[in-house]
Amino acid sequence: MHTHPSFRLLKASRPALTAVVLFAMLALAQPVTAQGQCLSQPQARAAVSSGQALPLGRVAGAVGGEIVRADLCREGGRLVYVLSVLSGGRVDTRVVDAQSGRVLR
């Protein structure tokens, strides 16, 4: 049985295509902030310990749902929490000023 040449090319490039799709999915899964750079866990702990950021538990009540992911990031010269919040069956992103606890968006 003969296989069309373009099908053989597609079949041969399947692992590369899979890798590209996986990479794109992982890249899109990362939190994106306008100008932000997220801190590592040790850096975030140090920021909370030094009083630069409120503990996450202190801001949790203001977001209107269950926090399923949290990152402490630098954005616009300040620290913000970038939160994935489960509410009403949906996961939404909330950005909270880490010093005041005020929801920004």
Side-chain angles (χ1 to χ4, degrees):
M1 177 178 196
H2 292 287
T3 306
H4 192 272
S6 61
F7 181 73
R8 279 183 273 166
L9 177 62
L10 178 63
K11 190 174 181 179
S13 64
R14 187 175 295 163
L17 180 61
T18 301
V20 168
V21 169
L22 181 59
F23 177 77
M25 288 172 53
L26 289 172
L28 292 174
Q30 297 301 313
V32 177
T33 58
Q35 302 168 353
Q37 176 184 355
C38 295
L39 282 61
S40 67
Q41 284 189 343
Q43 290 170 323
R45 279 193 293 273
V48 170
S49 294
S50 69
Q52 295 175 3
L54 292 171
L56 186 58
R58 296 262 317 268
V59 302
V63 297
E66 179 184 349
I67 297 171
V68 294
R69 181 184 171 122
D71 291 295
L72 185 59
C73 306
R74 294 191 190 284
E75 181 178 275
R78 65 178 163 195
L79 289 174
V80 296
Y81 281 108
V82 178
L83 308 172
S84 295
V85 178
L86 177 62
S87 176
R90 288 185 43 186
V91 176
D92 293 311
T93 300
R94 306 264 199 289
V95 179
V96 178
D97 184 287
Q99 281 193 316
S100 70
R102 185 172 61 95
V103 177
L104 303 173
R105 57 183 186 275

